[in-house]
Amino acid sequence: MLQLTGFSDGLVQVAGVNPLAAHWSHSSRPTDAVALLSGQVLMVRSPDDAEAHLPGVGISDIYRAGGIHTAIASPMRSHGESIGSMICYFDHSREFDEEAVPLAEALSSQAAQAIGRIHLEETLRRAAMHDEVTGLPNRRLVEEDVTRTLLDGYTALSVIFIDLGGCKAVNDLLGHAAGDALLREVGHRLRSVIRDTDVRGRFGADGERRRAL
């Protein structure tokens, strides 16, 4: 099972099955969260052994309720930062030999590298979808964000277009650098009056690059 950090709800499960999730209370902390906070591989050799890592929350009963006997959890790090954790649960007794920790670290490292590449690709993809003059999302990204908003269950959506007139006159009279400065200023003012949760961007096509916001 893989869990990632960086979400408002803390750790978010992104892969695999968590057999304990239905049994622990809000006051107990999952094994993989302890591994993430400690920065070390954590081995649980029995339900009673889990009590040594998480005392006072009845974690041994949670393990038994989930049918889990042993577990090994390893934190994932990318570029020096904790990004999540990987945990393997076993429904049978298991002895962890001297290779268990290096193997868990190698697997979590590979997972962290893969996740890091995905994040980098997404960052580069979204960077390519911003207007070079204003820094605002371009038409394609605006459409993606609006579609995502609708898919998130919103039943109503307001769309406002601002068409800047007279930009050609600014370009002709003062030059394209002044026209770009005008657009950047408008973009800055839009950011200052629109909520962070709203979608804003530059919708104009390349042929209209001095106009529509």
Side-chain angles (χ1 to χ4, degrees):
M1 183 189 73
L2 293 180
Q3 293 198 2
L4 299 183
T5 62
F7 299 89
S8 58
D9 295 331
L11 285 170
V12 174
Q13 183 176 330
V14 296
V17 176
N18 189 339
L20 305 183
H23 305 286
W24 63 51
S25 66
H26 292 297
S27 62
S28 61
R29 188 182 296 277
T31 308
D32 46 346
V34 176
L36 178 63
L37 292 174
S38 68
Q40 299 177 342
V41 175
L42 173 65
M43 291 180 288
V44 177
R45 294 176 171 84
S46 69
D48 290 334
D49 184 40
E51 291 288 343
H53 302 290
L54 295 169
V57 297
I59 191 64
S60 60
D61 292 334
I62 295 173
Y63 267 60
R64 292 188 180 94
I68 298 303
H69 291 268
T70 56
I72 183 168
S74 179
M76 295 189 302
R77 300 181 66 84
S78 178
H79 302 292
E81 295 185 0
S82 296
I83 64 170
S85 59
M86 179 190 72
I87 184 166
C88 296
Y89 292 107
F90 301 92
D91 60 2
H92 56 275
S93 298
R94 180 186 177 95
E95 290 294 331
F96 296 110
D97 58 24
E98 61 184 12
E99 296 298 327
V101 170
L103 178 59
E105 290 175 336
L107 291 175
S108 60
S109 177
Q110 290 179 1
Q113 291 176 17
I115 292 169
R117 285 196 299 271
I118 292 172
H119 284 174
L120 177 59
E121 290 172 358
E122 177 64 14
T123 299
L124 293 175
R125 186 187 72 85
R126 291 185 70 87
M129 296 170 69
H130 283 73
D131 176 61
E132 62 179 352
V133 175
T134 63
L136 293 170
N138 62 20
R139 176 174 182 166
R140 182 180 174 187
L141 185 53
V142 168
E143 291 175 341
E144 278 193 11
D145 288 341
V146 169
T147 300
R148 186 178 300 109
T149 300
L150 292 174
L151 293 176
D152 284 341
Y154 288 85
T155 57
L157 179 67
S158 298
V159 179
I160 301 174
F161 282 93
I162 301 175
D163 190 8
L164 298 180
C167 284
K168 185 177 184 303
V170 173
N171 291 332
D172 292 343
L173 182 62
L174 301 175
H176 289 292
D180 288 346
L182 171 62
L183 290 176
R184 282 192 291 270
E185 178 62 24
V186 173
H188 173 73
R189 296 191 182 190
L190 284 176
R191 291 188 182 94
S192 67
V193 297
I194 295 178
R195 299 173 302 181
D196 290 337
T197 53
D198 292 332
V199 175
R200 67 266 194 191
R202 188 174 181 192
F203 205 74
D206 290 340
E208 305 167 298
R209 60 184 301 270
R210 306 285 176 192
R211 296 187 57 206
L213 287 170

